[in-house]
Structure formats: C-alpha cells, structure tokens
Amino acid sequence: MVDGQIQIQNYNTGNSKNNWDLNKIKLKHKTICEYEYAKKDIQKGYANRTLYVNLSNGIIKEKKVTEEMKKLFTGGRGFGLKLLWDSIKPNTRWDSDENELIITTGPLCGVTQYPGSGKSLCLTISPSTDIICDSNVGGFFGPYLKFAGFDAIEIQGKAKEDVIIIIDGEKGKISIETAPLEETNSHMISEQLTQMYASENNDESKQKISIVSAGKGAENSYWGCLNFSFYDIRRKYPRLKQAGRGGLGSVLRNKKIKAILTKVEKFDGVSNNPADAETLAKVGTKLHREIRDLDRYQCNMRAVGTVHLVEIMDDYDLLPTENYRFGSFPKASKLYSPNFYKLFTKIIPDGCWHGCTMACAKTVDCFTVMTGPYKGEKVTVDGPEYETVGCGSNMSIWDPLWILEFNFYCDTYGLDTISTGTAIAFYMEMYEYGILNKKRCDGLELCFGNAEAVLEFMHRIARGEKSDFIAIASKGIRRVKDWLIKNKWGDTHIIEECGMESKGLEYSEYVTKESLAMQGGYGLTLKGPQHDEAWLIFMDMVNNAIPTFKDKAEALHYFPMWRTWFGLNGLCKLPWNDVEPRNNAEIDDPSKVPEHVQNYVDYQNAVTGWDVNKEELILQSERCYNWQRAMNVWLGRGRRKDDWIPYRSMGPVTVMEYISRKDRYDKNLIEKIGISDEKIEKMETEEKIKIIYDFRKDQYQKLSDAVYYRRGWTPNGVPTPEKMKKLGLKDTKMLKMLQDKIVKDEKAGLNNWGGNYKNKNEKPNNGIKYW
Amino acid sequence: MGIEVNGRKIDWIENESVSKLLKRMKYTFPLVVVKINKDIVLRSEFNNKIIPDNSKIDVVHMISGG
C-alpha cells in the first residue's frame, strides 16, 4: 500500500444506489438462438478463430483464422478490415442489413505485463462518413472476448426487437436473448447486466464480465459511441471507456442490440500464452519502472490523465475556443488540470486494463447530476479526458462541473463527446451570426457558453424528439451545413468554412491553423479528422523540424503507419510517447522514441514467436492502411476531394480571427508571400484574408500531392495495384477494382497534381503516369 | 546581438538560463530536448546553463498529444 492509499474495503463512492428487480427483468428474456463451441487455450496471442453472428437469420458460426490472415493483416483492426471486405458490398451503408459491427482484439491484447495492452478495435461503415470507421477503446471486453475464445466478433443483420448477445466463456456458449426491460443508457445497463450475469454475487465474479452498450443518444443520432465496461473492485461498480468516433453506437442500436456481454472462466498473467514469457516480463518490467520513476516529472498522466494537455495547448495557442476561432482564451485557466485534479478521486489505481501502470483513466466519484433524467443523483463520471475538456473550451464553457455534466451524459447516452462538442460549437457560431436563431433551434438559445442549452439539446436527442433542428443537428455538422445552405439562411462560404468536419466526421480538439502538417494529419486520413493517425503540431509549428513538403510527407507516412500498428495489436499508444526514457534526448530521432519502438519489436516477438524487426512493424501497418484506403475507394470515396478540409483549420475565416492574431498573419504575408510592409499597412483586412486564403489552400494541395506520392498513390489519392502487390496484397478482386477506378479517374481528368506550381521541378514527380 | 530558437531569430538577454528562455518562449510542454549549438543540455542543468549570445538553440518538443 502506498501511503494514503484507500483500502478496498474502506472505499465508498457515495453514489446513489439503484435497486432493480433483476429476476423480473431476466424472466422477460426469451432465447432466440444458441450456439455451443469448444473451449480452447490461446496460442501465442491468438484464439485462431473469429465469431460470426447474424441477427437477421440467427446464424452463429466460427471462422478460422489462417496463418495467411495473420501474415497479411496481423490482427485487431487488420482482421476487421479483412472481415468487412469479405462481407459487405460497395453500396453498403451504415444502416444496410449487411453492414457489420466488428470488435477485434489483436495478438498483444490481454497481456498484463506491458502497460496499455487491453485495447479493442471496433469497425463499421459509419453513418457520418459512409466509409469505414475504426475506433479503439479500453475496458475489459477485448481481452475477455479473446480469453472466451475469439480474436474478433463480427455482427451482421438486424434483430426484430431489442436483444443482448452473450458470449459465455465459462460454458462455451453464445446466445442471443431478447431484453425488453433493461435500461438502455450505459451507466445503468452495465450495472444491471453485471449483477445479472455474474456467476456469484461477489467482486471476483463481477470482474469477469464486460459489457458493450450504447445509450438513447446513440439510438437517435449519428454520434453514437460504444461504452465498454470494466468492473472496478474498489468502487464496486462497472466503469466505462468509449470507442467514440464515427457512430459505432448508432450502428449497435440500429441493429437493435442493447448490449453485448462477454464472460470469462478465468484470466491471469499467462492467459495470452506468450511464446517467450521471460522476455515479455523483462521488457514490461522495464517500462513499468520507467513510468513509476519518470511520469511525475514528464506528463503526470498517473495523476491527471490526458487533461495535463489543457494548459499546454492554451499556452501554445492550440486549445480550440469558440469553434476553433482562437487557440487560447483568458478564461482557459479555469479548465487547467489542477482544477480537475481537485475533483478526481485520488490514491486509487485507475488503469482500464490490468497491469497498466500509466493508469490515466481518471474518475470523479459522487458527482451530483444537475439536469435531465438523473438530476439529483450521485454518479461516478469516468473522465474527463483532454478532448472532452477541449469540447468545453470550444463551446466556451469554462466551469469544470458543467464539463463533468456534459461528460456524464455523453457517456451514458452513448454520444461521442468529440463529435457532440465540436458540432455544438459550430451551431453556436452560426447562432452568433444569426444564421441559426432561437426559432430555428427549436427554442434553444444555443449561444456560446450556454451550458444549460447544451445539456437540454442532448436530453432532447436522447428523448428522440423529432423537430427539424433536433433531427438534423443530431446527424452532425455536414448535414447541418447542407440544411442551412438549402434554406439560404446564411453565406455559403461562412457555413462551409467554419464547420469543422471533413469526410462528414467532426474534428477533434486541436487548432491547426499554423501547422500545415497537422492539417494533413487531419485531412489526409482514412476515417476523417481524428488525431490518432498523426499529431505533428509541435514537430511542425514549434520545432520547425519538417520545413519542406517532402519532410512533412515523410512524417505523414511514418507516423500514421506507426500509430496504425497499435490498432493491429490491441494496444494503447500512450505508453509509447507520453513517457520517455531518461536518455531519450541523447539519441538520434528522439521523436520516434527509439527505445520504446524496440520494446514493441521485442514485445511482439515475445508473444507471437515471430522474428520481426522495426521495419516489419511498419510494413504490417502499411498493408492494412492501404487496404483500408482501397476499401474507401471501393465504397465510392477515398479521393482527393474527400481529403479536403474546411478553411477554419487552415487560417482565419473572419475579420475578427485575423485581427485577433494580426501580427502573426501580417508577418505571414511578408515572410511567406513576399508582400512589403508598406503595402500591408494600406490593405484592408478582407483583402489580406483573401490573399492568405488562396496561399494556404494551395499549400494544402501541394502537401496532398507530396503525401499521395510518398504513399505510392495516384494524384487523386488511389493506392495503385503495383503498390498493393509490393506490399504482398494480391487479392485479384481488389487489384482489378483499383485499376478500374484509376482508369475512370484518368478519363475524368482527375489524375493531376492539385498544387499551383510555377516551376515544374517543384512537383513531386514529372513522369507521365508514374502510377 | 541575438539568438535563434527553432530557426526563428529573437533577442539575446544577458544571463538568461535555459529555464528562463523556455519561460520567455512560453514553452511549457514538459517533454522537451534542448540543444545549444547542437550540444544537448541535460534537464538537470536547465536552471544553471546560461544562453550565450549568437547561439542557435533547438527546443525539440516530443510529439505527445492525442
């Protein structure tokens, strides 16, 4: 025990108690279908089979994982892509019967010796983007799914009434049961099902259960997230982590799934059955010690989690405020990490999977809910993380308690905090300009800072209210842009350029105006503007370390590939670079944290028994990354036009934004565009905005050119058959599809560089049809 | 008189330590590597190491984020 640590038996959350007649609820269940399977041990990180469930026709079956599948797709997100390719069609949309919801694990998922090894990867066709969305999440479900016998679960079809899917690793049985009486909102149904399905009424049994659910908000919006539970023996309560992005929870509820439950017979430190347990323990122990000794002097993740970023982002003008108009704000200090540290329950280990020393999943216990159906109740709030606080600043909400309220309801309603917060921030700006107003917003005064209106908006979504505004606004920024433009309620330019979405997905919470590489890190992505592919702002804007297009393109090759690798293996990326070895500064290429990269080489080899090197880790990712891009092309997107981003992420849209950073933009006109001081003095702000607008848009096109070329894609962003073959991907259906699309693009005149080059040698390549 | 920090020219201040320079630049991020004319300055020396005039400083922020 650490000095001051609370004994398990002495800790009480102080939360409201729920008393349900669980027998009555369970008696209402009707078994729709069952399937028994042989229990098997995990072999070197793999269960060697996946589980297929079809809710329309009741088919449940096992699919074998072949050695070829491991070689080409590794696991996790890679397996998900392969399963989707085999099951959907190019015209499949999010609510099509054949769309799948896939939850995968990865060969390193479930290891307890190395921090950050409990991630699940979830995939589906997104309602927001009409292409594949992948999202990672902690909690116990992924490891338990594997220990129950499966590397992935693939759910197709739709149930006729609300159901739960039970994967019982104790009995070796899958069952689908109707669930008419259970709550839908996640903090309630997780607690109900944990109590109902635990073999015995004790913590040990409850800890062997994990539940995936999404609440009423997911049911009525495109922002549905999946909540993954992990039973906390200290709080005696199932806590939640979220697979947030892309509407996975909306797909879950569209399939009429109330929850997916997995239960294990046992799990321990060797359940993943590594090939070389000794090396695994050695490499894990080294990182545990590093985190224990150094975290408090570096990111302080163990004390405050990712919230430590708030003050840093504010200092560097990167914290989005008032819909990304600004990157810092006088009131931002109210949301700095010490203010949340005061609220977090301390001296309780907070990992979302066993053995994670980083333990960044912070919690506020006994929070009194201020609005909505749970008003007055005391609850545990998981979080907030940086992104959720960033949503607060983006909506100009500066009270930590309202951030907690927003966080709690987003989670239990199954709403992605990022998409919800970013979209509302846009609606607020439109409200300020009069493009939206009280009447158009269904009576809500959705102006910056009005936290009560934000919560009321969310409650109305959860209640399924059908007014025009709630119905459209709950589908996200893209649909609202179309609605505002169609009704001619405002300037199309302002509406298009201020709404922070790309591909239909809302941005996460970083201001990118001064980092071209990070603009690409958001736009030149597979699923949309989420920072999990690359976070290059410091490297680009502050360090000035990647000044040329070629440098930026190299970073936009390496880092997305590297970060993709975590998703193939069931890992969290945080232990890679949110703590660094003591001597990291003294070695070459410190940004890549080379010692940790070597850890991962040793780690994967120790579990799987392979003999790979660091280059092969990148190759594993490159195969899956290109496969996913090719699938986006197959689904009718994945081209240059789809990688476009709103101008708010490139520069100042409005006069107020320009004036707020006048020195910076005037300097930009002088140094980057070559306009004289004297001329600038005489220019109107609107004229200066237009010049920067044209310049920065061209910069983004040139960046796209360089990145596509580096990735081995056509100038319209399509992976070439040659590139795929080079990566060992020889699926004839896919290669033919790509060739056909490239020919079609060629005929349409789309295989041209996008940048405006004065000198032809500036182009990435002058070869005729190099692709 | 002047120094260059991450490729950008700024004024040199007499007796300014690495810690004070980081404060002046508002570089609050904890995971930084500082080099003066390509020589690494250990974190333990940030308070005592004085920035010489005409020097080229690299303040490398490790990626983090997200």
Side-chain angles (χ1 to χ4, degrees):
Chain A
M1 290 285 289
V2 175
D3 187 30
Q5 189 165 323
I6 301 164
Q7 296 271 3
I8 291 176
Q9 60 272 26
N10 293 340
Y11 189 71
N12 187 332
T13 59
N15 288 349
S16 303
K17 303 284 182 206
N18 292 303
N19 292 309
W20 294 293
D21 186 344
L22 297 175
N23 283 331
K24 185 182 162 193
I25 293 173
K26 203 167 183 181
L27 277 171
K28 282 283 178 188
H29 285 199
K30 192 173 64 195
T31 301
I32 297 174
C33 50
E34 288 182 325
Y35 174 83
E36 291 190 6
Y37 65 95
K39 293 193 280 182
K40 291 177 191 167
D41 286 337
I42 306 302
Q43 294 175 341
K44 297 177 187 174
Y46 289 97
N48 291 312
R49 61 185 165 180
T50 61
L51 175 63
Y52 173 86
V53 174
N54 191 313
L55 293 169
S56 295
N57 57 23
I59 291 174
I60 302 174
K61 63 182 179 185
E62 298 167 41
K63 289 186 182 177
K64 187 174 162 45
V65 170
T66 63
E67 290 306 311
E68 179 75 359
M69 188 166 160
K70 290 183 203 171
K71 187 180 151 199
L72 293 181
F73 298 97
T74 308
R77 178 169 144 199
F79 279 10
L81 292 170
K82 165 68 177 153
L83 295 170
L84 274 176
W85 174 248
D86 291 342
S87 303
I88 60 169
K89 300 177 214 157
N91 60 356
T92 299
R93 292 296 173 256
W94 77 279
D95 53 353
S96 303
D97 198 65
E98 74 273 10
N99 187 23
E100 296 196 324
L101 180 66
I102 296 178
I103 302 172
T104 68
T105 61
L108 311 187
C109 175
V111 164
T112 57
Q113 289 83 357
Y114 200 91
S117 300
K119 287 275 188 171
S120 306
L121 270 293
C122 313
L123 298 91
T124 196
I125 300 294
S126 160
S128 302
T129 64
D130 290 336
I131 51 175
I132 298 164
C133 187
D134 58 275
S135 197
N136 74 70
V137 54
F140 293 171
F141 187 90
Y144 286 1
L145 175 66
K146 194 204 279 186
F147 300 152
F150 303 99
D151 290 314
I153 178 172
E154 178 189 7
I155 305 166
Q156 201 168 36
K158 293 183 194 182
K160 291 188 179 67
E161 54 193 307
D162 277 342
V163 296
I164 54 172
I165 300 170
I166 300 153
I167 303 154
D168 189 338
E170 231 174 50
K171 294 180 182 155
K173 192 166 90 176
I174 315 295
S175 48
I176 302 172
E177 297 176 5
T178 59
L181 297 185
E182 275 83 354
E183 298 279 349
T184 304
N185 290 336
S186 286
H187 81 291
M188 307 285 265
I189 192 170
S190 301
E191 200 175 345
Q192 286 180 329
L193 294 179
T194 299
Q195 290 180 29
M196 279 161 68
Y197 285 88
S199 301
E200 294 173 45
N201 185 21
N202 58 36
D203 289 337
E204 198 185 346
S205 292
K206 289 175 186 168
Q207 205 180 24
K208 289 178 182 168
I209 284 177
S210 179
I211 290 139
V212 177
S213 64
K216 299 293 279 185
E219 204 171 293
N220 299 309
S221 78
Y222 284 0
W223 299 327
C225 70
L226 295 176
N227 284 300
F228 280 53
S229 77
F230 59 112
Y231 186 78
D232 185 329
I233 55 168
R234 291 168 184 83
R235 294 175 173 87
K236 305 192 183 308
Y237 182 79
R239 292 168 55 195
L240 302 172
K241 292 294 275 185
Q242 292 74 35
R245 306 309 325 265
L248 291 147
S250 305
V251 175
L252 184 95
R253 291 302 295 134
N254 185 258
K255 291 184 179 301
K256 289 203 175 293
I257 304 169
K258 252 189 185 170
I260 312 167
L261 182 147
T262 187
K263 182 173 172 181
V264 286
E265 187 173 16
K266 63 180 173 63
F267 70 93
D268 56 33
V270 290
S271 292
N272 210 37
N273 201 6
D276 178 358
E278 200 179 325
T279 300
L280 178 58
K282 201 170 135 194
V283 75
T285 304
K286 189 174 70 156
L287 188 65
H288 286 307
R289 286 187 179 142
E290 209 175 287
I291 293 171
R292 183 197 62 191
D293 296 341
L294 301 176
D295 173 65
R296 75 192 73 177
Y297 306 111
Q298 296 182 4
C299 291
N300 208 21
M301 298 284 276
R302 282 157 65 87
V304 294
T306 55
V307 171
H308 79 93
L309 286 166
V310 178
E311 44 268 40
I312 295 163
M313 293 304 125
D314 187 44
D315 280 351
Y316 287 78
D317 207 22
L318 301 169
L319 180 73
T321 59
E322 296 193 350
N323 193 32
Y324 303 85
R325 287 197 293 212
F326 316 112
S328 60
F329 209 74
K331 292 180 181 173
S333 63
K334 292 174 188 290
L335 301 184
Y336 283 5
S337 61
N339 295 313
F340 287 98
Y341 183 73
K342 281 183 216 158
L343 299 166
F344 291 148
T345 304
K346 289 171 268 293
I347 324 290
I348 291 186
D350 268 325
C352 67
W353 173 239
H354 302 285
C356 185
T357 335
M358 192 155 259
C360 65
K362 299 301 142 199
T363 301
V364 178
D365 290 312
C366 201
F367 171 73
T368 307
V369 181
M370 299 183 280
T371 67
Y374 307 113
K375 185 176 177 179
E377 290 188 18
K378 294 185 186 302
V379 297
T380 290
V381 184
D382 281 288
E385 295 188 38
Y386 164 75
E387 300 292 333
T388 307
V389 180
C391 289
S393 61
N394 223 352
M395 296 183 283
S396 215
I397 294 170
W398 306 104
D399 182 342
L401 294 179
W402 279 105
I403 306 270
L404 290 175
E405 179 89 1
F406 173 74
N407 191 149
F408 167 73
Y409 271 115
C410 275
D411 288 355
T412 197
Y413 283 159
L415 293 169
D416 171 27
T417 57
I418 296 176
S419 280
T420 308
T422 297
I424 295 172
F426 170 62
Y427 307 157
M428 287 172 159
E429 188 178 0
M430 294 300 101
Y431 198 100
E432 183 176 296
Y433 300 152
I435 296 171
L436 284 173
N437 54 38
K438 197 171 173 179
K439 191 177 164 203
R440 289 171 190 165
C441 290
D442 197 25
L444 293 170
E445 286 185 85
L446 217 49
C447 48
F448 282 119
N450 190 348
E452 288 184 55
V454 168
L455 266 297
E456 179 56 25
F457 172 61
M458 289 163 57
H459 298 320
R460 289 186 191 184
I461 291 174
R463 291 198 295 265
E465 290 192 7
K466 303 292 181 201
S467 72
D468 278 2
F469 179 68
I470 300 296
I472 294 166
S474 60
K475 291 183 172 63
I477 292 176
R478 183 62 259 166
R479 274 77 182 177
V480 169
K481 281 182 179 177
D482 294 340
W483 182 58
L484 298 177
I485 291 167
K486 187 181 153 199
N487 282 297
K488 299 189 169 117
W489 284 337
D491 181 338
T492 301
H493 173 78
I494 289 286
I495 294 166
E496 282 290 355
E497 305 294 21
C498 293
M500 290 292 279
E501 56 79 28
S502 173
K503 301 179 177 66
L505 186 71
E506 285 78 13
Y507 268 64
S508 67
E509 310 307 316
Y510 298 99
V511 171
T512 60
K513 288 173 195 166
E514 303 312 312
S515 169
L516 177 59
M518 192 58 213
Q519 291 163 29
Y522 271 136
L524 304 169
T525 48
L526 295 174
K527 68 169 170 274
Q530 169 71 357
H531 54 276
D532 60 349
E533 280 202 19
W535 200 89
L536 303 173
I537 303 183
F538 281 172
M539 187 188 266
D540 187 34
M541 181 184 99
V542 187
N543 300 345
N544 205 10
I546 42 176
T548 68
F549 289 114
K550 203 174 169 186
D551 295 332
K552 292 181 206 305
E554 187 55 39
L556 284 167
H557 168 72
Y558 178 82
F559 288 102
M561 298 311 146
W562 175 241
R563 287 181 176 233
T564 292
W565 186 82
F566 293 95
L568 306 182
N569 288 279
L571 297 178
C572 174
K573 87 92 200 166
L574 296 175
W576 159 51
N577 72 344
D578 281 71
V579 64
E580 66 175 47
R582 210 183 290 271
N583 67 343
N584 192 50
E586 295 155 33
I587 52 181
D588 287 341
D589 238 347
S591 301
K592 292 180 179 171
V593 199
E595 187 180 316
H596 287 182
V597 172
Q598 187 56 44
N599 282 355
Y600 288 112
V601 171
D602 297 340
Y603 180 10
Q604 195 185 55
N605 286 334
V607 171
T608 61
W610 300 340
D611 182 22
V612 297
N613 57 29
K614 63 180 182 180
E615 285 77 22
E616 282 165 282
L617 301 192
I618 296 296
L619 188 58
Q620 290 169 10
S621 293
E622 213 177 347
R623 286 191 200 105
C624 297
Y625 194 92
N626 280 275
W627 188 278
Q628 188 166 340
R629 179 71 174 194
M631 283 190 71
N632 286 350
V633 172
W634 183 57
L635 290 160
R637 305 198 75 188
R639 313 295 172 83
R640 181 181 288 264
K641 66 176 170 42
D642 302 303
D643 292 341
W644 194 246
I645 54 175
Y647 186 67
R648 173 60 58 77
S649 58
M650 298 185 205
V653 178
T654 63
V655 169
M656 180 171 65
E657 274 172 280
Y658 191 102
I659 291 170
S660 76
R661 305 290 185 274
K662 182 176 178 295
D663 290 351
R664 177 192 296 163
Y665 295 127
D666 281 356
K667 201 175 162 193
N668 198 257
L669 287 167
I670 297 164
E671 292 179 356
K672 295 271 169 83
I673 305 176
I675 299 174
S676 67
D677 282 352
E678 298 75 33
K679 200 170 172 192
I680 285 171
E681 286 301 313
K682 292 174 194 159
M683 285 165 79
E684 295 292 328
T685 302
E686 287 84 350
E687 192 183 352
K688 292 193 276 189
I689 288 175
K690 178 72 173 69
I691 292 169
I692 290 189
Y693 178 81
D694 291 339
F695 176 75
R696 291 193 175 189
K697 282 176 82 167
D698 185 52
Q699 293 280 295
Y700 185 77
Q701 291 284 20
K702 285 175 175 165
L703 177 73
S704 305
D705 291 344
V707 170
Y708 293 158
Y709 183 67
R710 173 61 186 87
R711 289 179 181 171
W713 298 352
T714 67
N716 201 26
V718 178
T720 65
E722 289 69 26
K723 172 76 184 179
M724 301 297 273
K725 281 189 253 181
K726 211 170 150 188
L727 294 169
L729 301 168
K730 292 169 186 163
D731 184 292
T732 48
K733 182 178 113 181
M734 179 167 278
L735 296 184
K736 185 177 178 312
M737 178 274 296
L738 289 171
Q739 190 57 48
D740 290 347
K741 298 282 186 188
I742 290 169
V743 169
K744 209 172 164 189
D745 281 357
E746 184 69 18
K747 282 182 185 159
L750 296 171
N751 279 337
N752 299 312
W753 298 121
N756 181 17
Y757 298 98
K758 288 186 182 120
N759 180 343
K760 72 172 189 175
N761 293 328
E762 288 174 13
K763 295 178 185 176
N765 186 296
N766 279 307
I768 300 169
K769 296 186 186 176
Y770 74 89
W771 55 94
Chain B
M1 288 190 294
I3 58 173
E4 199 177 293
V5 181
N6 288 352
R8 298 172 187 100
K9 290 189 173 68
I10 61 163
D11 292 338
W12 174 69
I13 295 175
E14 197 172 355
N15 285 327
E16 187 177 42
S17 66
V18 170
S19 295
K20 283 180 182 162
L21 173 70
L22 294 178
K23 204 170 174 186
R24 172 156 67 113
M25 297 298 293
K26 291 184 94 181
Y27 287 167
T28 53
F29 186 61
L31 292 182
V32 291
V33 177
V34 177
K35 295 178 185 176
I36 301 179
N37 298 324
K38 306 231 170 182
D39 292 332
I40 288 174
V41 182
L42 296 176
R43 278 177 216 272
S44 54
E45 295 173 7
F46 279 11
N47 287 334
N48 303 322
K49 184 78 180 175
I50 302 299
I51 308 286
D53 192 11
N54 296 315
S55 53
K56 193 178 167 193
I57 322 291
D58 291 309
V59 184
V60 184
H61 291 59
M62 296 295 109
I63 298 174
S64 193

